[in-house]
Amino acid sequence: MDMPKKGEKKSYENVEGQEKAAGIVCNINEMTPEERRQLAYKLMEKQGDKEFLISFCESDLHNFYEDCEKNPRHEKFYPVDQFSITLLPRKYQTMELYHVIKSLGFLTVRVEVRSATPKDCESSLNKPITYGTGRIYDVKKYVGDDKVCPCADCKAGTPVSEWLNIKAMTAKHIVPDNIDASHTFLKLVNGSHKSENYILDGISAQVSSCHDWCRLTCITHDTSLFNKVDEELKAYNMYARRLYEFYRHSRGKEKFVVIISCPHGCSKQISFGYWCQREQTGGIDTAYTYTAPTCVGSSGASVFILGRDGRQGLFNQIHSGCRSRKDKKNNFIDGEKVNFSTCVPE
């Protein structure tokens, strides 16, 4: 089988056999990493302006990261565990914003949906994984309660006596319904130590009928996570409220935006930018376009907008995708792209 020359991307149509090109009977385990990525690229061509990632193997994610054409070298992304206040623009180097970003960084999760199987990829060997981003917004601890843990393992065997019910927000195009929610895993990774990695099992989802958001309910039996999540939620709510009170009257001038996401399904990254336009999407609901860098895998990430977030401690925008930019007359500007959010009700 011909392999691409160095620096040349291999076209999936060149993969031997029309069956492989259709993605019907090919065995993913028999494909090279390059062939797997090209099949994933083929499937992602149908995603339009959404920024989720499809991959057949977690070990391929760093190759997607290196191949990125939207943000080559990712120079405007900052790893969460290396963030410092000096990375912020001088005007915004406040302890309140620093603490908001640190807490938001901890609460951000990688969303992994293992049941996403396109109709042209029926074989169980060929099921791709969809990657996106989400953010924890609530946690409850159950200890010796009459309520039984609703996870599949507890339903099938002896229920545990202690567990956590964790809720997270992500995009509807990542987790569109309860079926996908039951095959969804959230990975909470902070730092490089294995002890700081947690996997949360999705069990159900509440999705919007008109907007691109999903409220995901997850379970974990690791109750040691409770104190840290609860602490970070309280810190985020407190500092976000302070920033909202300080900037809410000047929010038309202050357009600073912060996004923390998992580009290409890899480690959590912080990016900054400014919002360009605010659009009414029905009633009091609004959506924004902004310049903060994102990549595939960023869909579902919470978008912190200075002077807009902080009311009742809940964020109200999540990243939805990237599209052609419009001018003030709502005309598309050729060649320019801008990222956009969707409204989340409080």
Side-chain angles (χ1 to χ4, degrees), residues 74 84 111 154 164 166 171 215 269-270 327 329 345:
H74 299 89
S84 70
V111 181
C154 286
L164 300 184
I166 293 178
R215 297 184 190 273
Q269 305 282 323
I270 303 168
D327 59 23
K329 295 182 179 180

Side-chain angles (χ1 to χ4, degrees), residues 140-150 154 159-165 223:
K140 287 185 174 62
K141 185 177 181 179
Y142 294 89
V143 181
D145 206 299
D146 292 335
K147 190 174 182 179
V148 177
C149 175
C154 286
V160 298
S161 59
E162 297 184 9
W163 78 94
L164 300 184
N165 183 297
T223 55

Side-chain angles (χ1 to χ4, degrees), residues 9 64-72 264:
K9 284 195 174 181
F64 282 112
Y65 191 90
E66 295 297 325
D67 286 347
C68 180
E69 295 181 352
K70 184 182 181 186
N71 293 291
H264 309 282

Side-chain angles (χ1 to χ4, degrees), residues 36 42 53 65 68 96 103 143 179 278 281 297 321 328:
R36 289 197 302 266
K42 189 72 175 177
L53 173 72
Y65 191 90
C68 180
E96 287 80 6
S103 294
V143 181
I179 295 176
R278 182 167 62 93
T281 57
K328 292 182 179 180

Side-chain angles (χ1 to χ4, degrees), residues 107 109 134-140 142 147 164-170 186 200 203-204 206 214-219 229 233 315:
L107 298 168
V109 292
R135 201 269 269 183
I136 294 172
Y137 68 91
D138 186 61
V139 60
K140 287 185 174 62
Y142 294 89
K147 190 174 182 179
L164 300 184
N165 183 297
I166 293 178
K167 294 186 177 181
M169 187 70 68
T170 188
L186 304 188
L200 314 177
I203 58 170
S204 64
Q206 175 196 358
C214 164
R215 297 184 190 273
L216 187 65
T217 299
C218 302
I219 295 295
V229 172
L233 284 171
F315 61 92

Side-chain angles (χ1 to χ4, degrees), residues 80-317:
V80 165
D81 58 353
Q82 298 177 25
F83 174 70
S84 70
I85 195 170
T86 58
L87 294 174
L88 289 165
R90 184 174 295 275
K91 181 179 180 180
Y92 301 111
Q93 291 181 7
T94 67
M95 292 307 298
E96 287 80 6
L97 184 55
Y98 170 78
H99 285 300
V100 160
I101 294 173
K102 291 293 286 186
S103 294
L104 189 57
F106 178 88
L107 298 168
T108 297
V109 292
R110 186 182 77 177
V111 181
E112 183 178 312
V113 186
R114 294 183 174 272
S115 63
T117 307
K119 294 180 180 179
D120 61 350
C121 202
E122 298 293 347
S123 170
S124 61
L125 295 172
N126 299 332
K127 289 185 178 180
I129 302 170
T130 299
Y131 291 94
T133 304
R135 201 269 269 183
I136 294 172
Y137 68 91
D138 186 61
V139 60
K140 287 185 174 62
K141 185 177 181 179
Y142 294 89
V143 181
D145 206 299
D146 292 335
K147 190 174 182 179
V148 177
C149 175
C151 78
D153 289 341
C154 286
K155 287 182 177 179
T158 303
V160 298
S161 59
E162 297 184 9
W163 78 94
L164 300 184
N165 183 297
I166 293 178
K167 294 186 177 181
M169 187 70 68
T170 188
K172 181 172 69 174
H173 68 265
I174 302 294
V175 185
D177 52 41
N178 278 320
I179 295 176
D180 281 286
S182 65
H183 292 84
T184 296
F185 302 89
L186 304 188
K187 191 168 186 179
L188 181 62
V189 182
N190 292 280
S192 57
H193 300 294
K194 188 175 181 180
S195 61
E196 294 180 321
N197 298 345
Y198 299 88
I199 304 297
L200 314 177
D201 296 334
I203 58 170
S204 64
Q206 175 196 358
V207 298
S208 171
S209 60
C210 55
H211 296 300
D212 187 25
W213 60 260
C214 164
R215 297 184 190 273
L216 187 65
T217 299
C218 302
I219 295 295
T220 178
H221 296 163
D222 189 347
T223 55
S224 66
L225 184 60
F226 176 80
N227 288 340
K228 185 60 176 174
V229 172
D230 188 56
E231 174 188 325
E232 296 294 351
L233 284 171
K234 289 177 180 177
Y236 174 82
N237 291 340
M238 178 177 68
Y239 289 111
R241 179 71 182 184
R242 290 183 186 178
L243 286 172
Y244 173 72
E245 292 295 338
F246 185 81
Y247 284 105
R248 64 175 179 168
H249 296 301
S250 60
R251 60 190 185 184
K253 297 178 180 179
E254 303 296 343
K255 298 185 177 183
F256 192 62
V257 171
V258 179
I259 298 176
I260 302 178
S261 66
C262 302
H264 309 282
C266 295
S267 60
K268 293 187 282 192
Q269 305 282 323
I270 303 168
S271 59
F272 311 132
Y274 298 87
W275 63 267
C276 312
Q277 291 180 314
R278 182 167 62 93
E279 304 173 6
Q280 296 298 132
T281 57
I284 62 173
D285 295 342
T286 58
Y288 291 81
T289 57
Y290 39 86
T291 60
T294 59
C295 293
V296 291
S298 295
S299 277
S302 57
V303 182
F304 183 85
I305 303 175
L306 201 61
R308 299 282 175 173
D309 291 313
R311 291 168 297 175
Q312 300 180 21
L314 294 178
F315 61 92
N316 57 15
Q317 299 290 324

